[in-house]
Amino acid sequence: MTAAVTGRPLPLHVPIHGYGVSDDDVLMVDGVPITEHAKRIGRTPFYLYSRRLISERIAHLRRTLPAGIEIHYAMKANPMPAVVEHIAPLVDGIDVASAGELAVAIRTATPRHHMSFAGPGKRDEELQAALEAGIVVNVESPAELARLLRLGEASGRRPQIAIRVNPDYELKSSGMKMSGGPKQFGIDAEQVPEVLKSLHGADIDFHGFHIFSGSQNLDGKAIAESERKSLDLALRLAGDAPAAPRFINLGGGFGIPYFPGDKPVDLAPVAEALAEAQVAARAAYPGCAIVVELGRYIVGEAGVYVCRVIDRKISRGQVFLVTDGGLHHHLAASGNFGQVLRKNYPVLVGTRVHGDRREVASVVGPLCTPLDLLGDRMEMAVAEPGDLIAVFQSGAYGYTASPTRFLSHPEPAQAFT
Ligand SMILES: *Cc1c(COP(=O)(O)O)cnc(C)c1O
């Protein structure tokens, strides 16, 4: 954690660490003012990801979670090849969600059996790519399993299989529920024994289980509880497996604070549950690894989205900063990526972090829709055209989770420090 040069915390509604402020009040990323980054990148808007903050985050996970817990990077959170290449040697595995992601992942030195491919609706070409790469497929349905076995037989490649389980419980207080009840993800827990029995004697390698219960959870106790339940379920199911599981992937779902009142997740109860899980898994199946797969937690806080103020206008007393960035680049910050009630991301004026004068202003984009809102009536420094606006917590589900074609504006740049 680098303290701001001014010694003051950033004026944001959630605690953000690791960024600095220069003597002349400019936001710094990895010790360099964003005005310098902007010059080097050559245009705005841009996403900027900090190499140092990603490394520090993974080091923090290593210190906090028990030794031996395998950390995987779920690369859909940020699939920029330079970012994936930086993360690969720092983690134990990579989880991909498409053949496009697989093509990036296999350029790293990560061992193939430490890569897995999850996601419903894998096309035949994608299953074939997984077979050829020799990566583990987290099977999401009986029909997908049948296709994988057929393709394996036809191509003489031995399928590397894990079963993704849709558990019979829900993760409490998760931002995005992905399990429990009827779901397109995973095979219902009650169907899994039959599927496992069908694999006895099949020409495959069985790797284990994958149970992912949800995303963006800020409640460490709830995550721990879900890990305990997932482990129990996996151990119960393993009795019918064609071979001893080599891993049990308990998902992840560690959230990051975005909105007023959000607190960073307390990993102490999570670490405790994982330590117990590791002991129990190894007692039942020596050598069985416990895996957690994290996307947002690893990269989310390490990224800022930066755009430039084009116009400053006052409409019936309300200040609008109209920028060259917006919803088309950063759907999540606009509130249109899974939010029910729109809330503001942490936003500030990057070229006047604290500012001599402050005011309440809204930050909007150039699109012809009132949805194009990056900050709704936020307290910030008084900004003028030319100033840079920084949107924090933008390292995950930003660039690739946005409709960049909408209105045919230029795409944002991406840079990695
Ligand atoms: C998206 C996804 C993740 C990563 O979720 P985060 O909230 O970014 O940590 C992990 N596992 C699976 C199966 C996913 O689909």
Side-chain angles (χ1 to χ4, degrees):
M1 277 190 243
T2 316
V5 168
T6 58
R8 296 151 75 189
L10 296 176
L12 295 168
H13 58 234
V14 289
I16 305 273
H17 302 289
Y19 293 86
V21 182
S22 71
D23 289 336
D24 54 353
D25 208 20
V26 175
L27 178 70
M28 296 198 294
V29 179
D30 283 7
V32 176
I34 54 162
T35 41
E36 291 301 314
H37 286 294
K39 252 184 237 158
R40 186 175 49 84
I41 293 164
R43 63 190 167 102
T44 56
F46 56 84
Y47 278 93
L48 180 62
Y49 313 119
S50 159
R51 191 175 292 272
R52 183 174 61 82
L53 289 181
I54 291 175
S55 299
E56 284 179 7
R57 196 54 181 253
I58 297 169
H60 168 72
L61 280 167
R62 295 287 190 200
R63 279 195 306 272
T64 311
L65 303 183
I69 296 295
E70 294 192 0
I71 300 171
H72 281 205
Y73 177 49
M75 66 173 276
K76 76 167 184 292
N78 187 329
M80 185 186 187
V83 169
V84 176
E85 277 156 30
H86 174 70
I87 292 174
L90 304 177
V91 296
D92 304 297
I94 301 180
D95 294 332
V96 305
S98 71
E101 291 188 358
L102 175 59
V104 173
I106 60 175
R107 295 208 296 264
T108 67
T110 301
R112 299 296 169 88
H113 58 280
H114 285 216
M115 288 183 195
S116 57
F117 183 178
K122 299 180 194 77
R123 291 174 281 112
D124 280 0
E125 307 91 274
E126 294 184 299
L127 293 173
Q128 190 65 43
L131 285 165
E132 273 158 33
I135 68 160
V136 179
V137 175
N138 293 339
V139 172
E140 309 260 352
S141 80
E144 182 177 278
L145 177 60
R147 275 194 297 131
L148 180 61
L149 294 178
R150 208 166 57 233
L151 290 166
E153 207 170 273
S155 61
R157 305 266 181 178
R158 203 177 162 85
Q160 308 295 309
I161 289 177
I163 301 291
R164 180 166 180 183
V165 183
N166 175 24
D168 33 20
Y169 51 84
E170 279 191 4
L171 176 58
K172 275 191 207 150
S173 59
S174 169
M176 206 180 291
K177 288 194 175 35
M178 295 185 67
S179 69
K183 287 282 178 316
Q184 73 265 51
F185 308 107
I187 301 178
D188 291 349
E190 54 277 23
Q191 286 180 22
V192 171
E194 196 184 325
V195 169
L196 288 171
K197 284 175 197 153
S198 78
L199 288 174
H200 289 251
D203 194 16
I204 61 143
D205 289 325
F206 177 76
H207 288 263
F209 296 97
H210 175 217
I211 306 179
F212 178 73
S213 321
S215 190
Q216 182 48 22
N217 197 321
L218 291 173
D219 181 347
K221 289 205 183 89
I223 298 172
E225 185 193 323
S226 138
E227 283 168 346
R228 289 199 173 89
K229 285 183 167 172
S230 297
L231 181 83
D232 287 350
L233 176 58
L235 290 180
R236 208 159 63 230
L237 295 171
D240 286 314
R246 298 178 194 176
F247 70 74
I248 296 172
N249 181 336
L250 296 178
F254 306 179
I256 62 172
Y258 290 100
F259 309 122
D262 282 0
K263 297 269 183 326
V265 55
D266 174 13
L267 289 183
V270 178
E272 202 178 300
L274 289 174
E276 288 166 25
Q278 186 159 258
V279 169
R282 285 179 180 168
Y285 301 100
C288 179
I290 298 294
V291 177
V292 291
E293 52 177 8
L294 301 169
R296 188 192 311 270
Y297 192 80
I298 290 176
V299 290
E301 301 197 12
V304 282
Y305 170 70
V306 175
C307 54
R308 192 180 295 278
V309 178
I310 301 290
D311 193 13
R312 171 189 171 88
K313 64 179 274 191
I314 297 174
S315 168
R316 309 223 158 98
Q318 197 179 324
V319 178
F320 288 90
L321 302 172
V322 187
T323 71
D324 58 2
L327 167 157
H328 53 316
H329 295 165
H330 202 333
L331 188 66
S334 78
N336 294 291
F337 191 60
Q339 279 193 47
V340 181
L341 283 177
R342 191 192 176 284
K343 294 183 211 159
N344 289 323
Y345 264 48
V347 172
L348 52 67
V349 184
T351 35
R352 307 171 197 253
V353 172
H354 297 288
D356 303 329
R357 291 177 301 137
R358 299 185 65 86
E359 66 180 356
V360 172
S362 291
V363 180
V364 302
L367 306 190
C368 308
T369 160
L371 298 177
D372 191 9
L373 186 60
L374 293 176
D376 184 15
R377 288 162 291 177
M378 298 182 78
E379 200 269 333
M380 57 178 73
V382 174
E384 299 295 338
D387 273 319
L388 299 176
I389 301 286
V391 181
F392 289 81
Q393 309 299 65
S394 298
Y397 307 110
Y399 180 79
T400 57
S402 300
T404 54
R405 298 274 178 84
F406 190 38
L407 262 85
S408 305
H409 285 290
E411 294 221 338
Q414 285 196 105
F416 189 38
T417 59

